[in-house]
Amino acid sequence: EIVMTQSPATLSVSPGERATLSCRASQSVSNNLAWYQQKPGQAPRLLIFGAYTGATGIPARFSGSGSGTEFTLTISSLQSEDFAVYYCQQYNDWPLTFGGGTKLEIK
Amino acid sequence: EVQVLESGGDLVQPGGSLRLSCAASGFTFSNYDMGWVRQAPGKGLVYVSVISGSALTTFYADSVKGRFTISRDNSRNTVHLEMNSLRAEDTGVYYCARRIPSNHFDSWGQGTLVTVSS
């Protein structure tokens, strides 16, 4: 099973600043990686797939990078609605696996 | 508009059974895989099961293999998750999601709560 490790577990950032979230795979997943955003009481929402392709309707301030085992989600200028939990997920191999999440909180 | 709506969540005793349903609309249902992902209270997302668009192929997490069965009815645009021998650790919100074949989950329902407790 491919283990996905996200860091940090909690990230405190001020509105308007940049946030950088990391995701590491225990073995290469090529670029078969997605990022999801989840707000309290809501379903996850797809942000990025294929490691760097933005999903429909996702603001340009969200960007993904990386390949193989190291991936990054960057939010260029945080808005109030961006404070949430973010998950990475690999779909390169079965079983599909998610990272433990990074909680992005207001500083 | 793509819509996915789960139902069937309930309180059930350990060892009991439950059937979850997921109704989909707004897309050509048989062209997409469908899957279930669960989230224990206060915890992260965990993959449970996926079924291919043709229903010929199914996948399960090891933790549910032999206890859960996923199925779909392409004439009714529905997916089901039959859950048997339920355990306390199966408790959580179960999300139904559309999956691009061999790819990511792109549309999620709002979830249905399953509580396994005596």
Side-chain angles (χ1 to χ4, degrees), chain B residues 37-88:
Chain B
V37 175
R38 70 184 178 191
Q39 187 169 37
K43 302 297 185 182
L45 302 171
V46 176
Y47 147 76
V48 173
S49 182
V50 164
I51 187 167
S52 64
S54 65
L56 293 178
T57 307
T58 57
F59 300 90
Y60 297 94
D62 285 347
S63 59
V64 306
K65 204 171 292 183
R67 300 188 299 123
F68 289 13
T69 302
I70 191 170
S71 62
R72 66 190 293 160
D73 183 341
N74 285 349
S75 68
R76 297 176 182 266
N77 288 9
T78 56
V79 182
H80 302 286
L81 187 69
E82 190 75 39
M83 304 186 294
N84 297 314
S85 302
L86 282 162
R87 307 166 180 168

Side-chain angles (χ1 to χ4, degrees), chain B residues 1 13 34 63 67 73 77 92 99 106 108:
Chain B
E1 180 191 2
Q13 292 189 340
M34 296 296 294
S63 59
R67 300 188 299 123
D73 183 341
N77 288 9
R99 181 174 185 249
D106 71 336
W108 298 64

Side-chain angles (χ1 to χ4, degrees), chain A residues 52-103:
Chain A
Y52 54 80
T53 303
T56 303
I58 300 303
R61 63 181 181 274
F62 290 90
S63 64
S65 63
S67 67
T69 61
E70 300 284 346
F71 300 88
T72 300
L73 174 69
T74 301
I75 311 170
S76 59
S77 178
L78 280 164
Q79 307 298 303
S80 59
E81 62 266 29
D82 300 335
F83 292 96
V85 180
Y86 293 83
Y87 295 95
C88 61
Q89 180 234 330
Q90 68 81 20
Y91 45 89
N92 191 68
D93 198 6
W94 298 96
L96 307 179
T97 47
F98 291 87
T102 291
K103 182 179 181 180

Side-chain angles (χ1 to χ4, degrees), chain B residues 90-108:
Chain B
D90 296 318
T91 292
V93 175
Y94 282 69
Y95 294 102
C96 178
R98 187 180 81 165
R99 181 174 185 249
I100 307 298
S102 301
N103 221 298
H104 55 279
F105 294 107
D106 71 336
S107 296
W108 298 64

